[in-house]
Structure formats: structure tokens, C-alpha cells
Amino acid sequence: MEAKLNIAGIFSSEDELVETIRNRRVCYDTEPYYVTHKGQLVQIGYQINIYGTFPKSDKKPSPDDPEFRSVLKDVQKIATTLSNTCDPLHMCESTIEDSNEISYSHDRKMRPDVTVHIPVFDQENFGHPVDGRIEETVSMAGKMLEAAGVRRKHWED
């Protein structure tokens, strides 16, 4: 089975999706998602972080920059396609964005990023440790993002 994002109702075409990914130089990474259970940290899933950036011509991006909302909207659309495509029991439907924040990471050469986070855990049995289905959902999510052109960790120009 080909790993492909469900763009219906979000992007008008595959070309629009690819162009958005390219224009925003979209990257992703994953990190463990923990909760405290009986005084101990338990990994119950992962968080997929999707990053998009400003045009190179924007020399001083900020949350007040008119382009900020446009970047955030584009990254949210990509996150929504992923949430709509993956296992609904594990891929949280709602995305959490740092809506007033720009981040910088050495992984992405300190470029200004707008980030959307997607927690991935078993929503029917909240709190149980990571299992094979959660691992498979995160793996498939990465494959679908990469098949669409999203880069893992950083974007090479």
C-alpha cells in the first residue's frame, strides 16, 4: 500500500500540497510523549512536530509579521491532512500549535519556524504504554509525510 496523505477538502490537488511543502520548507520530527502515572513517567505515545518557515526574503519574522498567520495556516493544513489520514484511535484529531511563537533549532540551521504538534497515543485506553499499533501509526505517519515531500529533521536547499 502506498503511503499517501488524504488531502480531500484541504488541498485542491497534490500539486498544491507539494508546492506548499516546498514553499514553507516543511520538516518534521518525533519525540516521546509522556504522562505521569503513580509518580513515574510513562511513555504512552509520541508527538509529531511539523515545522514550516517564512520566505527567505522575510528578514525579521515575528508573530506580528503578516506572513506569520499564513505560515501557521499552511503548517496546520498539512497537520490536518495527516490527522485525517492516520489511525483515528491513535492520531489525535486536534493539533496544538505554538500560535504566538517562533522557534529556532540547530537541526534546521536556526531558521525561524512555526510549529504544529500532533500527539499520538491510544485515545480509547489513555495512559497505557506505547504498543505496536502506536509505533506503526507513527512510522506510517512519517512515511506519508516523506512521500509528500516533507523532510525529516531539516530541509536542504
Side-chain angles (χ1 to χ4, degrees), residues 86-97:
C86 288
D87 184 345
L89 297 178
H90 294 82
M91 182 73 65
C92 291
E93 185 174 313
S94 59
T95 56
I96 305 160
E97 73 276 350

Side-chain angles (χ1 to χ4, degrees), residues 22 47 87 121:
R22 188 178 14 241
Q47 178 172 280
D87 184 345
F121 56 84

Side-chain angles (χ1 to χ4, degrees), residues 38-99:
K38 296 182 182 177
Q40 294 192 324
L41 282 179
V42 176
Q43 183 183 353
I44 65 165
Y46 293 90
Q47 178 172 280
I48 299 171
N49 305 307
I50 302 177
Y51 308 96
T53 195
F54 295 79
K56 289 181 181 182
S57 61
D58 197 338
K59 299 301 180 197
K60 293 196 180 244
S62 76
D64 297 328
D65 186 327
E67 188 69 16
F68 181 88
R69 287 278 157 219
S70 181
V71 176
L72 179 59
K73 180 181 172 191
D74 286 345
V75 177
Q76 284 176 321
K77 285 171 62 176
I78 293 164
T80 300
T81 63
L82 182 62
S83 292
N84 288 348
T85 305
C86 288
D87 184 345
L89 297 178
H90 294 82
M91 182 73 65
C92 291
E93 185 174 313
S94 59
T95 56
I96 305 160
E97 73 276 350
D98 295 333
S99 59

Side-chain angles (χ1 to χ4, degrees), residues 32 36 52 56 64 66 75 106 109-110 117 127-129 133 138 150:
T36 303
K56 289 181 181 182
D64 297 328
V75 177
H106 287 288
K109 300 178 182 177
M110 301 305 286
H117 308 285
H128 76 76
R133 283 191 66 197
V138 170
V150 175

Side-chain angles (χ1 to χ4, degrees), residues 103-114:
S103 63
Y104 297 84
S105 170
H106 287 288
D107 284 340
R108 287 172 300 287
K109 300 178 182 177
M110 301 305 286
R111 72 180 199 180
D113 283 322
V114 177

